[in-house]
Amino acid sequence: MKRIKALFIIVAMAALPSYSAIPATKAEKEKMDKFVSELISRMTLDEKIGQLNLPPGEDIQTGDAIRSNLGSLVASGKAGGTFNVKGASKVLELQKLAVEKTRLGIPLLIGMDVVHGYETVFPIPFALSASWDIPAIENSARIAAKEASAAGINWTFSPMVDISREPRWGRMAEGAGEDPYLGSRIAEAMVRGYQGDRLKGNDEIMACVKHFALYGAPDAGRDYNTVDMSRVRMYNDYLAPYKAASDAGAGSFMSSFNLVDYVPATANKWLLTDLLRDQWGFKGFVVTDYGSINEMKSHGMGDSPENSVRTLKAGTDMDMSSDAFISNLADAVGKGIVSEAEIDKALRRVLEAKYMLGLFDNPYKYNDIGREKSDIYSEANRKAARDLAAETFVLLRNEGKILPIEKKGKIALIGPLANTSANMCGTWSVAADFPKYKTLLQGFRDAVGDKAEIRYAKGSNVYSDKDIEAAGSVFGRDIRDPRSEEELLDEAVAVAKEADVIVAAMGETSESTGEAACRTDLTIPDTQRRLLEALIATGKPLVLINFSGRPTVMTWESENIPAIMNVWFAGSEGADAIADVVFGEKNPSGKLTATMPRNVGQIPIHYNHMRTGRPATSESFQKFRSNYIDSGITPLYPFGFGLSYTDFTYGKIELDSDRLSSGGEINASVTVTNSGDRTGDEIVQFYISDPAASLARPVKELKYFERISLKPGESRKITFPITAENLKFYNSDLEFVAEPGLFRVMAGPDSERLSSAEFTLVE
Ligand code: BGC
């Protein structure tokens, strides 16, 4: 203990004025290696295995709870960290136990699912992606890191970068949607935001990229279910964001619950070692997901002792909540099944993470208790969250320009999601403090002041079926109304009849998405549909504000309601942000990052699909073509779609050359004009297609975008510099290649309304 403390002091003095961080030079790396090697040489086998154990905190548990003796585990050196403990003083107590009570005083990793903000809650990640605003998303992660670190957290289980084409899957809410290019830009931005300047500062925390890998493609859209796909699809469509996050220097990865090639990701050597470390060069550590070593038995993979060994040997370093490593690895070493060198390999990575976080310089680096009051939920953070939330809303329809609404007369605000602060934030709002946040009703009232009257009625429950509603209302978010359906409806119709305009706040509850919150019916639930029908019957102008954590099926609504805006779950400042847009202080600019289907039967539907040998050429049924007897094949709203209160017109795409050499660059440009009467932001998108290649390629793929702001009448030329890099894909041998030949480049406001030009890649 004394010796290691002396070592802390020496290193601390040498590293002054800043803490040790992710090494930037060979000398810094050597210094870290030396420190860690010396520390390892002093450790007993039990102490080593203790560092590989990550028991849950007692505040939030998602799987089978294992125990409630966290303090004694820490004090006896049987934990390398813990997670989801809220509050600076609680965290400090645990850190003190590790530092003062254990023989070597090795500090803890303190993790948390800070997935879209801490107490200042940003919109859910799926919503954030709809802003396409990479700098603002990076800033949201920066703010999340500042707040979380003020509460003692030094490690976040984010970004979640699972690509998904599966809106039935509740966890779509946590990711960036269906596109690997956009997903990659967001993944790297979030890593930068969390980790800042190489983890130097006490407000920079380690990212944990999850869930590795392919978790977003479960069979039948059911959480934790089997995933099975070809390597070509993995490499081309799903792996890019994980790799981008690794390339951005993420300090850790979390493996996923699903199978990859029939082996649970937790113990998949190909995935965790051959791909992640050997091919991609990832240098950080890998933690399992919650209890997933134990779950291997349910997957049909034997018992805990052998699964622990498999997991370690596959390249996993830390066991989250299974107790498997601490229960089995010492014995396995004793039997010679696992070598101490294999334990040391994992241990080294965990200790390096602590070193890079600066915890050996100052184990209390993240325990500045005073910061909790000043740095959390500050005015500046809330403003950033409010501004970014407004950028995430997607205006789907606005017939007759009902939106924005003028602040005058009587406005009816109706619907089960209009008056609930607990449902503003969305899933994984682990550190949220709901009573502090406004309901939409409060947001509307504050926005209009005495200029207009906001009348409210709930109108319906979320679902007719109370059990379904309960399943989507966990973690204290129950809003079930005991009144009968008729009573609720009658009250709402009476309020609506008196109003000049109706705003309906509907959709799904926060916890109808997220982990283990899958749905087979993606429409706005039954009882709310009846309410909508009654509101339409009043003949008043009607706006639907749809709350959702996934693409909703709104085919009926799109035929019957003139104005629809998707607001997802907009976070702690969501109510003000929605009011900003509804009343026209801000102009909506979000664009869909996942295709909205016409019906559940079209799923998986995504813009970057493959061609078939028998493509349909019309929405009507054609025999012996790839289509449906009972539905069209096009989406209700395509990827990249979203309207504004102003209009943008696009010129035709232009190329400065129709020949690109493999080392060269050509420019594709398009001129965009704000032809409406308001300033607005537009997300200009460029796609590429490769019509003839050595293997079949998607119809188009997003390759570039810019988010721009234009005043009325203003035009801007946006240029996509194309190089061979943009044309590369993984071929049948999984080589990343650009094949010479013809390519098509397209530009436009979404993935369907595009103009195109052709060029040839020459050798
Ligand atoms: C989730 C992870 C999360 C972990 C810790 C698991 O159930 O799959 O996303 O980070 O719990 O809370």
Side-chain angles (χ1 to χ4, degrees):
M1 176 78 185
K2 272 197 187 130
R3 255 186 298 170
I4 191 82
K5 278 202 171 146
L7 203 58
F8 283 149
I9 292 161
I10 293 163
V11 173
M13 280 166 52
L16 282 174
S18 62
Y19 302 119
S20 46
I22 299 175
T25 61
K26 203 167 156 241
E28 280 177 17
K29 168 84 172 65
E30 281 168 6
K31 194 168 147 199
M32 175 170 83
D33 290 348
K34 187 162 175 277
F35 178 89
V36 171
S37 299
E38 279 176 9
L39 183 50
I40 291 178
S41 73
R42 292 189 168 79
M43 295 174 75
T44 65
L45 182 61
D46 283 347
E47 283 167 341
K48 290 177 178 180
I49 294 170
Q51 286 298 309
L52 311 185
N53 189 32
L54 184 71
E58 279 141 23
D59 290 359
I60 304 114
Q61 299 184 347
T62 58
D64 292 333
I66 308 250
R67 66 160 74 72
S68 58
N69 59 342
L70 182 60
S72 60
L73 270 184
V74 170
S76 58
K78 289 195 165 54
T82 186
F83 61 100
N84 288 352
V85 176
K86 193 185 175 192
S89 50
K90 265 200 226 169
V91 170
L92 176 62
E93 258 172 59
L94 286 166
Q95 197 60 285
K96 272 189 175 164
L97 286 179
V99 175
E100 292 171 14
K101 300 281 182 225
T102 65
R103 188 177 74 94
L104 294 174
I106 299 174
L108 297 169
L109 290 173
I110 304 283
M112 186 181 264
D113 290 280
V114 183
V115 173
H116 51 113
Y118 187 76
E119 208 171 289
T120 302
V121 184
F122 283 83
I124 53 168
F126 184 44
L128 287 178
S129 72
S131 75
W132 304 54
D133 190 339
I134 304 299
I137 294 173
E138 178 171 339
N139 187 44
S140 77
R142 187 85 283 283
I143 288 173
K146 282 187 183 162
E147 291 200 4
S149 60
I153 307 300
N154 53 38
W155 183 30
T156 177
F157 301 146
S158 174
M160 188 282 212
V161 305
D162 304 324
I163 293 297
S164 189
R165 303 161 169 180
E166 235 329 329
R168 290 173 294 182
W169 187 54
R171 302 199 78 170
M172 229 182 145
E174 299 173 47
E178 74 189 30
D179 185 67
Y181 175 75
L182 176 62
S184 300
R185 302 294 75 79
I186 291 176
E188 60 203 17
M190 293 193 76
V191 170
R192 287 194 302 264
Y194 290 131
Q195 299 194 162
D197 183 13
R198 296 190 294 123
L199 298 172
K200 274 193 204 147
N202 69 350
D203 62 0
E204 295 170 344
I205 66 178
M206 189 167 279
C208 184
V209 180
K210 68 188 188 185
H211 307 83
F212 194 56
L214 320 177
Y215 186 34
D219 279 3
R222 183 155 47 80
D223 208 0
Y224 317 126
N225 204 11
T226 304
V227 174
D228 186 20
M229 68 174 73
S230 69
R231 287 276 159 97
V232 171
R233 175 164 275 187
M234 276 184 210
Y235 274 75
N236 283 310
D237 299 352
Y238 283 82
L239 292 178
Y242 306 104
K243 179 166 188 306
S246 165
D247 291 346
S252 66
F253 262 59
M254 184 188 295
S255 54
S256 54
F257 287 126
N258 53 281
L259 303 181
V260 173
D261 293 339
Y262 291 76
V263 178
T266 312
N268 191 312
K269 177 178 169 295
W270 172 77
L271 186 72
L272 303 179
T273 297
D274 303 356
L275 178 68
L276 181 62
R277 297 189 199 281
D278 297 347
Q279 286 184 36
W280 293 356
F282 173 68
K283 297 278 185 292
F285 75 100
V286 174
V287 62
T288 72
D289 202 347
Y290 201 111
S292 67
I293 305 180
N294 288 345
E295 291 175 14
M296 285 173 67
K297 186 168 178 159
S298 307
H299 277 294
M301 302 277 301
D303 287 321
S304 183
E306 62 184 292
N307 288 335
S308 306
V309 171
R310 272 190 183 139
T311 301
L312 182 86
K313 285 186 187 265
T316 297
D317 307 306
M318 205 172 209
D319 164 8
M320 183 199 290
S321 306
S322 281
D323 261 5
F325 281 3
I326 48 166
S327 310
N328 299 304
L329 288 183
D331 200 34
V333 172
K335 289 183 178 143
I337 307 168
V338 165
S339 68
E340 196 153 342
E342 284 172 307
I343 303 276
D344 287 355
K345 210 171 174 185
L347 172 67
R348 176 174 292 278
R349 296 183 188 127
V350 171
L351 294 177
E352 280 178 358
K354 297 183 177 189
Y355 178 96
M356 293 189 282
L357 282 165
L359 294 175
F360 289 118
D361 298 332
N362 175 3
Y364 303 114
K365 174 181 163 192
Y366 294 91
N367 301 109
D368 177 349
I369 297 278
R371 283 184 55 211
E372 201 174 35
K373 275 217 163 60
S374 56
D375 292 11
I376 294 179
Y377 203 52
S378 67
E379 279 303 316
N381 295 356
R382 292 176 59 194
K383 179 172 184 318
R386 179 173 175 168
D387 288 345
L388 182 48
E391 291 186 4
T392 68
F393 305 150
V394 181
L395 183 63
L396 295 169
R397 274 171 72 75
N398 197 14
E399 294 303 304
K401 299 216 168 189
I402 296 186
L403 282 169
I405 295 175
E406 266 188 79
K407 294 178 184 172
K408 67 167 200 207
K410 288 188 189 129
I411 300 165
L413 177 61
I414 290 176
L417 295 164
N419 196 20
T420 159
S421 65
N423 282 284
M424 297 304 292
C425 289
T427 187
W428 285 117
S429 314
V430 170
D433 191 357
F434 300 142
K436 278 189 185 161
Y437 313 144
K438 287 185 192 176
T439 67
L440 189 58
L441 178 59
Q442 288 165 331
F444 271 28
R445 290 205 165 128
D446 289 350
V448 301
D450 54 13
K451 291 195 190 123
E453 190 187 340
I454 309 285
R455 298 243 183 120
Y456 161 73
K458 185 165 182 181
S460 76
N461 275 308
V462 180
Y463 292 88
S464 300
D465 186 314
K466 66 175 178 7
D467 294 334
I468 302 181
E469 184 158 335
S473 308
V474 291
F475 306 133
R477 302 189 191 194
D478 184 17
I479 50 167
R480 187 87 185 163
D481 199 300
R483 287 176 288 172
S484 74
E485 210 157 295
E486 286 65 39
E487 264 178 280
L488 287 163
L489 191 74
D490 291 348
E491 181 192 59
V493 170
V495 170
K497 277 186 175 157
E498 297 281 298
D500 302 309
V501 54
I502 308 168
V503 178
M506 298 196 180
E508 55 186 2
T509 49
S510 262
E511 294 297 332
S512 298
T513 54
E515 188 168 350
C518 301
R519 291 178 60 194
T520 60
D521 176 356
L522 302 186
T523 56
I524 293 187
D526 48 13
T527 178
Q528 298 185 64
R529 163 77 81 86
R530 279 195 285 281
L531 172 59
L532 277 172
E533 284 167 2
L535 296 178
I536 291 168
T538 65
K540 306 279 177 169
L542 174 62
V543 176
L544 171 60
I545 301 290
N546 183 43
F547 288 77
S548 75
R550 50 160 65 89
T552 312
V553 170
M554 289 196 285
T555 309
W556 179 86
E557 287 77 5
S558 296
E559 282 159 7
N560 292 285
I561 299 172
I564 305 177
M565 186 162 75
N566 234 75
V567 297
W568 320 109
F569 293 102
S572 58
E573 313 312 304
D576 287 334
I578 297 171
D580 288 341
V581 175
V582 165
F583 296 109
E585 306 296 334
K586 289 184 181 147
N587 193 348
S589 56
K591 301 230 185 188
L592 295 177
T593 57
T595 304
M596 280 204 168
R598 293 181 188 278
N599 50 58
V600 170
Q602 288 185 322
I603 297 169
I605 181 170
H606 50 100
Y607 85 92
N608 48 356
H609 60 85
M610 305 303 293
R611 300 175 176 87
T612 76
R614 294 186 177 188
T617 51
S618 120
E619 274 295 272
S620 315
F621 176 67
Q622 297 169 298
K623 193 69 183 165
F624 303 122
R625 292 273 146 194
S626 180
N627 55 19
Y628 301 105
I629 284 181
D630 59 355
S631 163
I633 60 164
T634 58
L636 185 61
Y637 298 105
F639 175 86
F641 179 81
L643 301 172
S644 163
Y645 294 157
T646 191
D647 298 308
F648 295 103
T649 34
Y650 279 69
K652 286 237 166 314
I653 190 167
E654 283 170 15
L655 272 172
D656 65 0
S657 167
D658 60 5
R659 283 168 74 80
L660 172 66
S661 65
S662 54
E665 182 177 300
I666 59 173
N667 294 305
S669 315
V670 69
T671 299
V672 186
T673 304
N674 181 343
S675 48
D677 53 9
R678 273 172 178 264
T679 296
D681 287 7
E682 170 66 343
I683 298 156
V684 184
Q685 303 159 41
F686 288 84
Y687 297 81
I688 279 185
S689 100
D690 184 354
S694 63
L695 47 75
R697 302 285 298 124
V699 289
K700 64 191 84 146
E701 292 174 296
L702 181 74
K703 290 291 175 180
Y704 187 74
F705 62 87
E706 273 187 40
R707 194 189 153 92
I708 56 168
S709 184
L710 293 178
K711 296 197 177 67
E714 193 182 347
S715 292
R716 192 164 320 153
K717 184 169 160 183
I718 307 301
T719 299
F720 165 28
I722 307 171
T723 69
E725 276 307 300
N726 302 111
L727 313 179
K728 285 188 174 171
F729 66 97
Y730 290 93
N731 67 15
S732 305
D733 296 322
L734 301 179
E735 295 155 345
F736 197 46
V737 294
E739 294 179 349
L742 187 75
F743 287 86
R744 195 166 294 136
V745 58
M746 294 156 267
D750 60 55
S751 62
E752 282 186 357
R753 289 177 294 159
L754 299 164
S755 65
S756 71
E758 289 179 351
F759 64 94
T760 304
L761 174 69
V762 292
E763 308 251 8

